[in-house]
């Protein structure tokens, strides 16, 4: 959908706004039971556990947080970033 040379220039937020938001919202955004919360937000479970973990996307179905996501730009995708995002996702999933 977006050319590789264009993606290389994009920040994490640009990729989310220009690609992922449109894709996810077109599939899930119109159903009132589904809610996509975009942009560095904390879940209720994380606040209750006093975890200061913010996520790029939280997906709620029938008021139950059911999925979380982290994104990265192509330029910042390193082994360390991948590990940290995976660890963050695992910790948050355990708290939900």
């Amino acid at each position: 959908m977006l050319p590789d040379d264009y993606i290389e220039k994009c920040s994490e937020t640009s990729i989310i706004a220009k690609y992922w938001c449109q894709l996810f919202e077109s599939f899930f955004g119109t159903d009132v039971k589904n809610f996509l919360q975009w942009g560095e937000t904390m879940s209720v479970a994380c606040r209750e556990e006093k975890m200061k973990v913010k996520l790029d996307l939280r997906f709620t179905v029938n008021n139950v947080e059911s999925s979380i996501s982290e994104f990265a730009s192509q330029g910042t995708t390193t082994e360390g970033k991948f590990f940290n995002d995976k660890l963050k996702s695992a910790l948050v999933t355990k708290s939900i």
Side-chain angles (χ1 to χ4, degrees):
M1 183 172 191
L2 299 173
D4 288 342
D5 58 336
Y6 184 82
I7 290 173
E8 289 174 8
K9 295 178 184 178
C10 289
S11 68
E12 177 182 325
T13 303
S14 290
I15 291 172
I16 292 169
K18 295 175 185 201
Y19 183 78
W20 291 111
C21 282
Q22 294 176 23
L23 183 69
F24 278 71
E25 292 290 344
S26 68
F27 282 101
F28 305 112
T30 57
D31 188 340
V32 295
K33 295 183 284 184
N34 301 329
F35 183 70
L36 298 168
Q37 182 67 32
W38 294 94
E40 294 297 315
T41 59
M42 276 195 285
S43 69
V44 173
C46 286
R47 281 197 286 287
E48 289 172 354
E49 295 289 328
K50 296 184 178 25
M51 294 172 59
K52 295 182 180 182
V53 178
K54 293 182 179 179
L55 300 160
D56 294 330
L57 171 63
R58 296 182 5 247
F59 185 43
T60 305
V61 178
N62 293 328
N63 293 323
V64 176
E65 192 144 1
S66 59
S67 181
I68 57 171
S69 293
E70 279 292 298
F71 298 92
S73 67
Q74 191 168 8
T76 63
T77 305
T78 63
E79 193 172 318
K81 169 89 170 129
F82 178 74
F83 176 79
N84 287 334
D85 284 354
K86 193 173 180 179
L87 176 61
K88 184 193 306 188
S89 296
L91 291 171
V92 170
T93 300
K94 286 190 132 324
S95 75
I96 292 178

